[in-house]
Amino acid sequence: MTRITHDIVAEHGLTPEEYDRVLRILGREPNLTELGIFSVMWSEHCSYKSSKVWLRRLPTSAPWVIDGPGENAGVIDIGGGLACVFKIESHNHPSFIEPREGAATGVGGILRDVFTMGARPVANLNALRFGSPDHPRTRHFVNGVVEGIGGYGNCIGIPTVGGEIDFDSGYDGNILVNAMTVGIADSSRIFRSAAAGIGNAVVYVGSRTGRDGIHGATMASAEFSGDVGEKRPTVQVGDPFTEKLLLEACLELMATDSIVAIQDMGAAGLTSSSVEMSSKGGVGIELDLDLVPLREPAMTAYEIMLSESQERMLMVLKPEREELARDIFAKWELDFAIIGAVTDTGRLVLRHGGRTAADIPVPPLVEEAPEYRRPCTPAPPRTLPADPLGAVDITPIEALRRLVSSPDLCSRRWVWEQYDHMVMGDTVQGPGGDAAVIRIHGTDRGLAVTTDCTPRYCAADPVEGGRQAVAEAWRNLTAAGARPLAITDNMNFGNPERPEVMGQFAGCIEGMAEACAALDFPVVSGNVSLYNETDGQAIPPTPVIGGVGVVTDIHTDMTRPALAAEDEALVAIGATAGHLGCSMLLRMLTGRDDGPPPPVDLAAERRNGDFVRGLAASDSMSACHDVSDGGLLVAVAEMAMAGSIGARVMLPEAEIPVLAWLFGEDQGRYVLAAADPERVLAAAATAGIPAAVIGRTGGQELTVDGHGSISLAELRDGHERWLPTYMEAPSGRDPVTANG
């Protein structure tokens, strides 16, 4: 028997004070298996010990919320007897170590979170952050992550319909891979994880258990150093074909009304699934680990409980349903084993090799997990010079050309063409727009989905950045004609033990909470990923928002960003002040992210969005696009390229400098194309909404009055060429030079 030393405790990520708490709970020294269980359950990844004090501030309820945070995924009522089940999860550390497998198993894990609730997954999204294009490993990460996401999603047959990709030197030492899945279920048949029924069988199904992924949760709760290559054994290996079988087998069994509780074996594997089921049900669980299907010989109890092998589920069955369940899983050629039973002891008891391998009281294991209110240092305010662009001399057309062909704003087509976004046949808007839209099968209604975050705003002002992340998700859903309903969040930050990082986290939560409340946009699920840093260098604060909304009728209410007709008016909705702080233009021209981010007026955001949604329902516009990175002119250019119809932009008679008016990133704005602009302007005046005609559609050029033109062909060439050129270039070649 291994003697527990201070070094072993430290290797398991527990502080001396936390270990003292373990001793008090057990009343004795733990064995190695018990120490491993406490280690993973009290890790940052599983216990949220640094973040839950702040997460409680987020609004999580609304009349349409069926299940908020706490289950495998969030659940909202979308009408017609249906529910939408969705969540976003991070797989950052594994993807940095092994990009392909890390990204693939991230997709597999989030899929299981959704179908565990009884939903059939209908869409995947991802939010990816990579380092500078000049960094020698960035191509390696992009290639591996895209291959992993595409390979897993394509093989299992779930469309990957949207997401986002950023390049920034702040992610050189720690990339981010956030995966989101959306599913649809019968709202009266949602499956949860609370074990019940003393004596009921605890059943293991899916793939066999191996040694891959051991200490994955602990690894995800620590920052990296130069030994990152040694962590490869902590990365799981996925099999999408087995996942497809598991999905179908679980949904088939769910239709038989045989399941009491079900839980994905995700982070911390059999440990977290059994502990969470026991805790939520207020019962005990006893497991015989000799009955667990294994793919490697002589595995110890410690290895079995901490393995994070993929494509596995734990469930509690109703009495006398075991053989029915066994037959279903045998049909799908999956392992099925009764490995234990529900007890009335409130304890997790493990037997292995004829001996007791662990005996832990579950309530204190869960309820007495550490909770820290770590010191916070607010981000210092930033100021912007009166003339932020200084003596920079550039025409609006040249600035536009450079922006849309830059790593920040170039087309991501090279990525999403590697994803099957049309499988299942219900994708009506795929990647490349404001939000993807999936037809709710057999109806004329749609689900709109998006992921959004602007990390440079969050770094400059976490509160404002948190507001903006939520508001932009709300705006993107609105721009597609959807009523926004709820969000899932993925909070990606550095080491929470550093006050400046905790200040970023707390600030972003404050801003997000304000926006969620103002927009009736509650948080129903999510994930916190901390310690995203290497050798003390933290990532930019990145609170990714995954938003979901409903389009009442995809034929009459849904809108697209592509210009659809010649000789229509372009109408800007929302006020333009020409805010250049933290803007893409400022970054491109000066290499800096100076100043505060644009302020978010949540009341105006709500008014403007509700107004735009009303226009969509009244057939008052033929195209709609939200204004975000790059400002008004970039939004118009994206609409023109998407529709292959040119546009002329007319400058207003205002005292705002031309570049600021064209490229400022003021919030709460949309650009519409309308055949009858007077109707739109009259409705806006009645509603008290700022609105102005800023141009007209037509031709094959994009023109700024008095400042020149550029052909759509040239604009599109630079926009589409940067990423494939970059990925094909030998290491060290800068594709920007290929674009002139």
Side-chain angles (χ1 to χ4, degrees):
M1 178 176 173
T2 302
R3 175 92 167 78
I4 304 301
T5 65
H6 293 301
D7 287 344
I8 290 176
V9 170
E11 287 170 5
H12 281 75
L14 295 172
T15 68
E17 294 76 18
E18 289 170 349
Y19 184 62
D20 287 343
R21 188 176 298 191
V22 172
L23 295 176
R24 180 175 56 77
I25 289 171
L26 291 179
R28 57 177 171 80
E29 183 179 277
N31 61 38
L32 188 62
T33 300
E34 291 168 333
L35 181 68
I37 289 171
F38 274 97
S39 167
V40 293
M41 291 307 300
W42 288 6
S43 69
E44 196 73 62
H45 191 75
C46 292
S47 74
Y48 295 87
K49 58 189 176 185
S50 297
S51 59
K52 54 190 172 186
V53 66
W54 296 102
L55 295 175
R56 295 189 185 107
R57 302 186 178 201
L58 294 171
T60 59
S61 61
W64 52 89
V65 174
I66 296 174
D67 272 306
E71 277 296 339
N72 287 290
V75 186
I76 57 173
D77 190 331
I78 56 173
L82 298 176
C84 178
V85 181
F86 64 103
K87 188 182 182 184
I88 192 168
E89 277 266 5
S90 62
H91 233 220
N92 303 332
H93 285 59
S95 299
F96 186 73
I97 298 166
E98 200 69 71
R100 186 185 186 283
E101 290 301 334
T105 50
V107 174
I110 195 62
L111 282 165
R112 289 193 300 279
D113 280 340
V114 167
F115 72 75
T116 299
M117 302 287 293
R120 178 170 291 280
V122 297
N124 289 330
L125 299 89
N126 51 80
L128 312 177
R129 262 81 191 180
F130 299 106
S132 166
D134 296 330
H135 191 276
R137 298 195 69 198
T138 296
R139 283 187 192 83
H140 164 71
F141 287 130
V142 174
N143 194 64
V145 167
V146 170
E147 186 179 338
I149 290 170
Y152 206 101
N154 295 353
C155 288
I156 199 171
I158 309 297
T160 301
V161 298
E164 52 181 341
I165 299 174
D166 283 350
F167 293 93
D168 189 287
S169 60
Y171 304 101
D172 284 350
N174 205 124
I175 66 172
L176 301 183
V177 175
N178 295 172
M180 178 177 171
T181 291
V182 180
I184 295 177
D186 182 330
S187 59
S188 66
R189 294 182 59 79
I190 304 300
F191 290 81
R192 299 175 176 88
S193 56
I198 306 307
N200 281 347
V202 177
V203 175
Y204 172 117
V205 298
S207 291
R208 297 187 167 219
T209 295
R211 290 186 170 93
D212 52 316
I214 294 174
H215 280 306
T218 307
M219 176 269 293
S221 304
E223 64 180 270
F224 285 146
S225 60
D227 64 350
V228 66
E230 299 173 12
K231 299 182 183 292
R232 282 194 175 86
T234 63
V235 178
Q236 311 92 329
V237 178
D239 179 355
F241 300 105
T242 299
E243 179 105 337
K244 174 63 173 174
L245 300 178
L246 183 62
L247 184 160
E248 298 298 342
C250 286
L251 292 181
E252 182 174 339
L253 181 60
M254 287 167 172
T256 69
D257 197 30
S258 299
I259 297 174
V260 174
I262 183 168
Q263 176 72 42
D264 162 42
M265 290 192 219
L270 189 51
T271 289
S272 64
S273 55
S274 57
V275 170
E276 288 176 17
M277 293 175 80
S278 170
S279 172
K280 290 175 182 176
V283 295
I285 284 183
E286 185 167 319
L287 303 178
D288 185 344
L289 301 186
D290 293 320
L291 302 176
V292 173
L294 304 178
R295 69 167 183 259
E296 298 185 47
M299 288 186 68
T300 65
Y302 179 96
E303 292 172 326
I304 293 169
M305 290 303 294
L306 271 61
S307 167
E308 293 186 10
S309 294
Q310 297 292 285
E311 292 89 37
R312 302 180 299 159
M313 293 281 192
L314 195 66
M315 58 180 68
V316 174
L317 296 181
K318 292 181 178 179
E320 302 180 0
R321 299 295 179 93
E322 295 89 350
E323 290 311 308
L324 170 65
R326 188 188 302 275
D327 289 345
I328 289 173
F329 281 88
K331 182 184 81 171
W332 291 99
E333 299 181 343
L334 293 166
D335 276 286
F336 175 100
I338 299 172
I339 64 170
V342 177
T343 70
D344 62 0
T345 64
R347 304 182 75 86
L348 177 67
V349 178
L350 309 176
R351 307 200 185 279
H352 187 242
R355 295 184 299 176
T356 299
D359 186 348
I360 301 173
V362 172
L365 172 62
V366 174
E367 296 164 11
E368 296 185 35
E371 180 175 324
Y372 298 118
R373 189 182 185 93
R374 298 194 185 276
C376 292
T377 300
R382 294 190 187 181
T383 58
L384 191 67
D387 185 12
L389 299 181
V392 171
D393 183 17
I394 191 169
T395 68
I397 293 299
E398 176 60 15
L400 175 66
R401 188 192 69 80
R402 287 178 56 184
L403 277 170
V404 300
S405 60
S406 71
D408 291 313
L409 295 178
C410 72
S411 169
R412 274 44 176 158
R413 183 184 300 275
W414 179 89
V415 173
W416 55 257
E417 282 189 340
Q418 298 181 57
Y419 303 153
D420 190 338
H421 52 275
M422 298 303 295
V423 66
M424 299 179 76
D426 281 322
T427 304
V428 291
Q429 280 202 62
D434 291 312
V437 180
I438 307 297
R439 181 198 306 270
I440 299 173
H441 194 72
T443 76
D444 290 326
R445 298 192 301 138
L447 279 180
V449 291
T450 185
T451 64
D452 293 288
C453 183
T454 310
R456 67 184 187 280
Y457 291 176
C458 298
D461 183 335
V463 177
E464 206 69 75
R467 290 190 194 107
Q468 192 273 341
V470 173
E472 186 172 357
W474 193 86
R475 196 183 316 133
N476 276 326
L477 297 174
T478 293
R483 176 193 170 204
L485 290 177
I487 70 170
T488 180
D489 59 27
N490 206 139
M491 308 295 291
N492 306 275
F493 291 79
N495 185 340
E497 297 167 46
R498 295 203 286 130
E500 62 273 23
V501 170
M502 210 61 228
Q504 292 173 339
F505 186 93
C508 285
I509 288 287
E510 180 184 340
M512 289 166 55
E514 292 175 3
C516 288
L519 301 173
D520 284 336
F521 206 27
V523 181
V524 298
S525 61
N527 172 246
V528 175
S529 176
L530 302 177
Y531 294 96
N532 288 292
E533 57 183 79
T534 298
D535 294 328
Q537 185 63 45
I539 62 164
T542 314
V544 173
I545 304 299
V548 172
V550 170
V551 180
T552 302
D553 189 317
I554 58 174
H555 303 294
T556 60
D557 297 336
M558 185 180 72
T559 50
R560 301 176 185 271
L563 296 181
E566 302 256 351
D567 199 28
E568 291 193 327
L570 294 174
V571 182
I573 302 296
T576 295
H579 187 96
L580 288 177
C582 292
S583 67
M584 282 293 181
L585 182 73
L586 185 67
R587 170 181 282 196
M588 181 188 75
L589 295 181
T590 69
R592 305 189 312 270
D593 289 328
D594 288 358
V600 180
D601 181 334
L602 291 169
E605 190 80 57
R606 180 68 181 263
R607 287 193 302 272
N608 295 355
D610 289 346
F611 175 74
V612 167
R613 204 175 310 109
L615 291 179
S618 65
D619 196 28
S620 296
M621 57 187 179
S622 63
C624 179
H625 190 23
D626 90 304
V627 180
S628 54
D629 286 346
L632 278 171
L633 190 57
V634 167
V636 172
E638 289 171 343
M639 297 173 79
M641 288 188 287
S644 295
I645 295 175
R648 170 188 164 214
V649 174
M650 302 176 293
L651 297 172
E653 294 181 3
E655 295 183 359
I656 303 172
V658 170
L659 290 178
W661 189 85
L662 291 170
F663 299 105
E665 296 182 6
D666 306 286
Q667 298 295 292
R669 296 185 298 163
Y670 304 80
V671 175
L672 320 177
D676 184 358
E678 296 307 319
R679 178 183 176 189
V680 173
L681 295 177
T686 300
I689 303 294
V693 173
I694 63 166
R696 294 200 74 81
T697 67
Q700 286 297 302
E701 291 184 328
L702 195 150
T703 301
V704 177
D705 272 3
H707 294 276
S709 303
I710 186 170
S711 71
L712 290 189
E714 183 181 351
L715 201 62
R716 184 183 290 108
D717 177 66
H719 185 58
E720 298 282 355
R721 188 154 51 101
W722 188 89
L723 190 51
T725 301
Y726 172 74
M727 292 306 297
E728 293 165 6
S731 180
R733 180 187 172 198
D734 182 0
V736 174
T737 60
N739 287 333

